[in-house]
Amino acid sequence: MQAITVRDRSAGLAGLSLTEEPYPHAAENDVIVWVHAAGFTRGELDWPATWTDRAGRDRTPSVLGHEVSGVVAELGYGTTGLSIGQRVFGLTDWARNGSLAEYVAVEARNLAPLPAGVEHAVAAALPISGLTAWQGLFDHGRLAAGQTVLIHGAAGGVGSIAVQLAHEAGARVIGTGRGAARDTALGLGVDAFLDLQADCLEDADQVDVVFDVIGGDILDRSAALVRPGGTLVTIVSPPMVRPRDGQAIFFVVEPDRDRLADLARRLRDGRLRVIVGDVRTLAEAPSAFAQRTLGKTIIRVAEGD
């Protein structure tokens, strides 16, 4: 099968190539997915799990991409809850070969059924951003109706979904980003928008939850915006500056089949929108890593429903 692989860590993006790789093996409780669409994260080349397995052994050539939407092609021994021919989407394991390939082996528990009417290219943009947004807001931030949340990068992949979820939950939403993102953020449901290049972040005043996807100085300055008892949540790095009378939490997204299924239903019912940018072919994936576009770039691997 064809796949996008990396072998040389020092080569950077130049090391991405389209290669022929063996058909994946379905281990116990695995599913082999015929990939229709895949999502990737530009920072994958910096992730240790891209280069070594959990025992620290070299695992190159590694197949990139960790978001997948496709059809079940094969079931491993003991796999339950899914069937051959079923449409599914979800997350692949960080330390195993990923979704930028014609087929990928995934633990069944990391996949959810994909409802009819949701396109594979849209579904492939949802797993990391959707689960990160939900877990950041509700599992870690404990956001509730009537509270105020500040969401950095409100028009980005994670931020755009977080805005919609927070708005639907009854929270007051303040979004931040570049000025060009203002209209997009307002259309997603923010109550107020701060241009990080022109406005003063401190004008946001006190909030119950800050959800950060930017890090650096923005993360440090955000700690002072958290009111007593509130929470600063980030996915970038452990916070160096903490709220005076609140919590500071750094987390990495975790697979969650039930939550994925819930997010997919929201997509189907029109209660959630995913911003998809370019849709490229598998052969175009290496160049897609180097490009930045509005919305998430998706790799279409196979045609059809």
Side-chain angles (χ1 to χ4, degrees), residues 114-118 122 261-272:
L114 180 63
V118 179
V122 174
D262 170 68
L263 292 168
R265 288 191 293 269
R266 292 167 187 257
L267 269 181
R268 179 198 61 194
D269 298 340
R271 296 163 53 202
L272 184 66

Side-chain angles (χ1 to χ4, degrees), residues 195-210:
D195 180 347
L196 291 177
Q197 296 175 310
D199 299 326
C200 178
L201 177 59
E202 286 67 26
D203 286 346
D205 203 4
Q206 298 284 285
V207 300
D208 298 285
V209 179
V210 171

